[in-house]
Amino acid sequence: MNNNINLRGHDFQLIPFGSGRRGCPGMQLGLTTIQLVLAQLGHCFNWELPTGMQPQDLDMAENFGLSMSKAKHLLAKPTYRLM
Ligand code: HEM
């Protein structure tokens, strides 16, 4: 966030789709799909943390691996908001 790092393979700090001639040919479809799914989840639901938990209590530790996942799962409660 708040920087100009390009995720399409031009800046090696962040290469979720690889880079160069073997880079992911499905990049545009992947980006569009993720954006659509996230937008739907944000638009259709209100999201709450479990009772008593504050945003600053979230454990943002990461697992080491080929892709970076959270060490502890995020638990969030969705409530449908379009009725
Ligand atoms: C968010 C979604 C996706 C991510 C994060 C992703 C990530 C990657 C990465 C890291 C590679 C290896 C690149 C390299 O070796 O430098 C790759 C390769 C590839 N991806 Fe994706 N991908 C995604 C979606 C897709 C989709 C939607 C398709 C097809 C419809 C696709 C097809 C391929 C193919 C065929 C390769 C092999 C390219 C080659 O080495 O010849 N990917 N992808």
Side-chain angles (χ1 to χ4, degrees), residues 58-71:
L58 282 174
D59 185 348
M60 298 304 287
E62 297 149 3
N63 270 336
F64 180 77
L66 278 181
S67 65
M68 196 164 59
S69 56
K70 274 169 67 59

Side-chain angles (χ1 to χ4, degrees), residues 1-5:
M1 287 172 67
N2 303 325
N3 63 51
N4 295 324
I5 294 176

Side-chain angles (χ1 to χ4, degrees), residues 15-19 21-27 29-31 33-34:
I15 43 171
F17 298 97
S19 181
R21 287 154 57 104
R22 293 308 298 263
C24 177
M27 175 167 57
L29 181 59
L31 286 171
T33 309
I34 299 290

